[in-house]
Amino acid sequence: MKIEVVYGNIVKQPDADALVNSANANLRLGSGVAGAIHTAAGPELEEFCKTIVPLAFGKAIITPGFKLPNPWVIHVRAASYINHDEPEQVLKDALESMLLVAKANGIRSLAMPAIGTGVFKFPPTLAAAITAEVLRRHSEQGGTLQWVRICVANPEMKSVYANALGTSAETHGI
């Protein structure tokens, strides 16, 4: 499986089968990634999500992409690093659930944000290490995913994720 870390807008990844939304429990339009995905997908996404909420901590669920160029959105729910007793485990569970949903739906490519590092206040180095660990384990187990693109908000975050994945290059395979 190829993994890329890019400095870029997650809703501008038309070649991905699915985008990953770092979601709240009610899968509603929010700030950051959730706001960008919901805005680009249109109001149909939020209406659809009303039928499948709430999303539990550490879980993932898939919806259509509606007006996005991507057929699917996988919504994951991490925990607040500050307000949750076991935020690292919840992030790990959310990422593993995301990968299981991708596999169950035959998704071959996905673009994801630096989950947990926004409003959930995860330290970027810790979130990147957990993400790298889960992606490596998944890659070793095989599956449908051919590539994952981690879309980050700034060059510093790109460096953090590239370091966690063991490379300074933008693209590499695991």
Side-chain angles (χ1 to χ4, degrees), residues 53-76:
V53 296
L55 181 60
F57 284 115
K59 298 297 180 189
I61 193 162
I62 194 167
T63 66
F66 295 99
K67 292 180 182 169
L68 286 163
N70 319 88
W72 304 106
V73 176
I74 299 175
H75 306 266
V76 300

Side-chain angles (χ1 to χ4, degrees), residues 84-147:
H84 201 277
D85 289 340
E86 296 179 5
E88 294 95 339
Q89 187 60 51
V90 174
L91 178 57
K92 207 176 282 189
D93 292 346
L95 292 165
E96 289 171 354
S97 185
M98 168 193 80
L99 294 168
L100 287 173
V101 167
K103 185 175 184 178
N105 288 277
I107 291 170
R108 297 163 47 111
S109 57
L110 61 84
M112 63 180 283
I115 296 171
T117 61
V119 297
F120 294 127
K121 306 279 188 221
F122 251 87
T125 304
L126 179 58
I130 292 169
T131 300
E133 173 192 334
V134 172
L135 291 176
R136 274 191 195 100
R137 188 169 50 249
H138 175 78
S139 182
E140 291 166 1
Q141 295 169 351
T144 59
L145 273 179
Q146 294 179 349
W147 60 262

